[in-house]
Amino acid sequence: MIDDELREMFTEREPFAPDADRTTGRILRGIPVHRRRTRQRWAAAALAVIAAAVAVPVLAGGADGPRRDALVAAGDTHVTLPVTPTWLPEAVVTRTYVDANLAEGVWVVDYDFGGGAGGVLAVELRTSTKPPVIDPSSAVVPPTGPPVDVLGHSAAEYERVDEQQGEQSCQLLWQDGRLRLSVRARAKGVTPGVACATARQVARGLVERPMELDRPIRFGLMPRDYVLVQAGTNIEAWCPRTGDNQHTPRCVQARDAASTPTANGRRVTVRGQIGWLDRTETEVILVVPGYVEVRTPTPAVDPAIAALTDDDLIRLAESVSLRRGW
Amino acid sequence: MTFEAYLALRLPALLRYALMLTGDPHLAEDVVQETMVRAHLHWRRVQRADLPDRYVKRMVTNTYLGWRRGGWFRRAVPVADVPERESVPDPAESSAVRHELWQRLTALPPRQRAAVVLRFYEDLDDAAIADVLGCSVSTVRSQISRALATLRDGAERGVPLTHRTGDAR
């Protein structure tokens, strides 16, 4: 019986759970960091409230004026990776994954080969224009080998081998002016060192030429003055100009809901399909199974900030265009 | 119960649960760490919940379901000392069938995997699983049914495993 096999399998794996003492230490070290960040976020939100309180009467032209959050056509923002690869493993790319976080200055492109590139599963290119945030609670990893030369720059190399899965991954990390670059390769069922050899070859083939990234999911409408902060293969997020990331109150995020079966909330209709709109303590979520999920955080500080109505959310969801099969 | 007392009492079980969810001890540790740091911020709310333990379990599950690919590399800081890690389990120690089953479980969509773990590891009933996953009881049944069909089907046909990519995307 598969039920019994599953239960025995779980029991067998229990001894491999992480060490509780070490995790406790990481949690306790992480709390002050998280608290500090939360305070900064609330301070930013409070400033935004004050700014909005001052700006709304002016922009809206008084109580009879147009709503500040009236939806307009979303701008056609181009998202580009600052570099272009001239060499990739010779194989069909089964899927390209993109994640551009414009607010954080991080761009990621991940080419998936599905194991068809001589055991190379995927190659990930990542660039960042901001220095990494050092979180003392994070895992710390020193380079696993000597520095590697990448087009005259010294790159740190990190190799990781998962013997259980028979998988190896290798990341090269270096700085070029204000740009921080990373190339990571993953391989499976191949001789040791293949992932690192692939990562090095990809890294040495990068040229300084912007590469336009795909936006398979995109909003057609947005509240006025919103800007694109994240574009990805199955996510897009927009925020008010004052918002720093998609977790800021009033930011709006869309995800592909291709495999979402159903959801909680009030039944609504979006493009003739059944959807579920749920206002929780922390966010408003509109799920249209098989199509799209739109969500926006709800600020607890001031309900006046939650200016997006249910109708706004439905119109936003209806404006989302999806192109699958990437 | 204070946050510290809860950690001392329940953390090992949460880590085991996270291991079964993620299939990776390092990711399990990251997921539990992130969850508990947030739980500390809302500890009064956790305490007020009818079933605080289930509330935390729901938080762990949501953190896992929302975990983005590449998270480990994004969070890892390439400096300083290497923390001690447990040895990676030797597949030879498991029976071949259960090792294969573990790999097939890893390839399931995250929600199906979570439903299977809650049913067969945590021994929760459909209503409790629905509460943790935030969905209906019928959805839970269909998720588990589909997951078991996939696991059985793969085992019977000996279909090779495909690498799990992007299911948290």
Side-chain angles (χ1 to χ4, degrees):
Chain A
M1 285 289 288
I2 198 162
D3 302 17
D4 296 334
E5 286 288 352
L6 279 166
R7 289 197 172 88
E8 284 173 28
M9 177 197 73
F10 286 132
T11 308
E12 220 171 48
R13 297 277 159 173
E14 280 189 335
F16 303 117
D19 178 68
D21 288 339
R22 191 185 59 232
T23 312
T24 302
R26 285 183 57 184
I27 292 166
L28 296 178
R29 284 197 301 277
I31 287 170
V33 176
H34 186 76
R35 195 180 288 144
R36 194 165 54 243
R37 284 183 185 165
T38 306
R39 267 202 303 268
Q40 287 168 349
R41 222 173 284 145
W42 280 116
L47 276 176
V49 172
I50 294 165
V54 172
V56 163
V58 177
L59 294 169
D64 297 330
R67 277 187 56 219
R68 172 159 163 65
D69 281 318
L71 305 182
V72 296
D76 190 17
T77 309
H78 291 269
V79 179
T80 54
L81 187 79
V83 291
T84 301
T86 58
W87 184 88
L88 286 171
E90 280 183 32
V92 176
V93 176
T94 55
R95 187 153 74 157
T96 306
Y97 167 70
V98 170
D99 186 2
N101 192 321
L102 285 72
E104 293 177 12
V106 178
W107 286 259
V108 181
V109 181
D110 191 351
Y111 299 98
D112 241 315
F113 302 106
V120 177
L121 300 171
V123 168
E124 179 198 86
L125 311 177
R126 177 186 299 265
T127 68
S128 169
T129 54
K130 292 184 181 175
V133 177
I134 306 295
D135 183 341
S137 63
S138 294
V140 285
V141 187
T144 49
V148 173
D149 178 72
V150 177
L151 307 172
H153 300 284
S154 176
E157 187 172 87
Y158 303 87
E159 189 175 24
R160 195 175 182 226
V161 178
D162 184 340
E163 290 169 6
Q164 185 193 9
Q165 301 286 338
E167 190 175 317
Q168 46 179 285
S169 69
C170 185
Q171 185 183 26
L172 285 172
L173 201 59
W174 72 99
Q175 192 84 28
D176 183 355
R178 58 187 288 270
L179 202 61
R180 189 176 167 85
L181 296 109
S182 155
V183 172
R184 181 158 72 114
R186 294 188 296 114
K188 189 169 184 176
V190 291
T191 51
V194 167
C196 280
T198 305
R200 286 175 203 165
Q201 197 163 349
V202 173
R204 288 167 182 157
L206 290 178
V207 293
E208 281 184 45
R209 188 172 67 227
M211 180 171 70
E212 181 144 2
L213 304 182
D214 210 8
R215 283 174 57 196
I217 179 166
R218 55 171 74 195
F219 280 107
L221 291 174
M222 256 308 124
R224 196 181 302 280
D225 291 335
Y226 271 47
V227 291
L228 181 68
V229 297
Q230 187 174 9
T233 294
N234 74 345
I235 183 171
E236 180 161 289
W238 291 66
C239 291
R241 287 188 190 280
T242 49
D244 59 349
N245 65 52
Q246 69 266 39
H247 304 299
T248 306
R250 293 181 75 185
C251 289
V252 184
Q253 187 186 88
R255 280 178 183 273
D256 189 341
S259 55
T260 307
T262 185
N264 296 322
R266 154 174 105 77
R267 186 171 156 152
V268 295
T269 303
V270 176
R271 283 193 183 185
Q273 288 181 246
I274 295 169
W276 306 93
L277 199 150
D278 194 15
R279 284 188 180 268
T280 72
E281 197 179 327
T282 54
E283 60 185 348
V284 190
I285 311 166
L286 170 57
V287 178
V288 186
Y291 170 44
V292 74
E293 173 186 308
V294 173
R295 60 173 66 207
T296 179
T298 312
V301 279
D302 186 348
I305 294 181
L308 289 176
T309 63
D310 289 359
D311 285 343
D312 287 337
L313 282 168
I314 291 168
R315 285 181 62 208
L316 284 173
E318 286 179 329
S319 80
V320 173
S321 60
L322 282 167
R323 193 166 43 73
R324 295 187 178 125
W326 25 267
Chain B
M1 187 186 292
T2 65
F3 178 76
E4 289 73 15
Y6 182 87
L7 275 189
L9 192 68
R10 297 295 300 154
L11 192 61
L14 283 177
L15 286 166
R16 287 195 295 272
Y17 170 61
L19 171 68
M20 305 314 166
L21 273 185
T22 61
D24 177 317
H26 308 305
L27 182 55
E29 192 172 4
D30 286 350
V31 165
V32 170
Q33 183 207 354
E34 181 162 321
T35 305
M36 293 315 294
V37 166
R38 280 192 291 114
H40 178 267
L41 194 68
H42 306 290
W43 191 243
R44 279 187 205 155
R45 194 185 303 164
V46 175
Q47 284 177 306
R48 280 201 304 269
D50 292 338
L51 299 165
D53 204 36
R54 186 176 297 172
Y55 191 98
V56 174
K57 200 161 282 171
R58 192 187 305 147
M59 289 180 75
V60 170
T61 310
N62 286 336
T63 305
Y64 158 67
L65 293 175
W67 201 261
R68 289 198 320 201
R69 185 166 184 205
W72 184 88
F73 267 100
R74 272 175 214 189
R75 294 159 56 78
V77 182
V79 288
D81 304 325
V82 192
E84 278 188 24
R85 294 282 197 192
E86 300 92 326
S87 60
V88 175
D90 178 2
E93 289 174 8
S94 308
S95 75
V97 173
R98 285 197 284 274
H99 178 63
E100 181 70 10
L101 194 57
W102 176 257
Q103 294 200 302
R104 288 187 191 288
L105 189 72
T106 311
L108 287 178
R111 280 191 167 269
Q112 285 185 22
R113 181 180 173 114
V116 168
V117 171
L118 288 164
R119 162 61 53 77
F120 297 105
Y121 181 64
E122 295 288 324
D123 275 329
L124 297 186
D125 59 25
D126 290 343
I129 295 172
D131 186 32
V132 173
L133 292 180
C135 62
S136 67
V137 170
S138 59
T139 303
V140 168
R141 288 184 189 133
S142 72
Q143 296 269 19
I144 292 175
S145 167
R146 279 186 214 158
L148 291 181
T150 306
L151 294 172
R152 276 195 203 101
D153 188 43
E156 281 165 12
R157 291 190 290 119
V159 176
L161 287 163
T162 52
H163 183 75
R164 174 191 179 202
T165 55
D167 50 18
R169 288 171 183 177

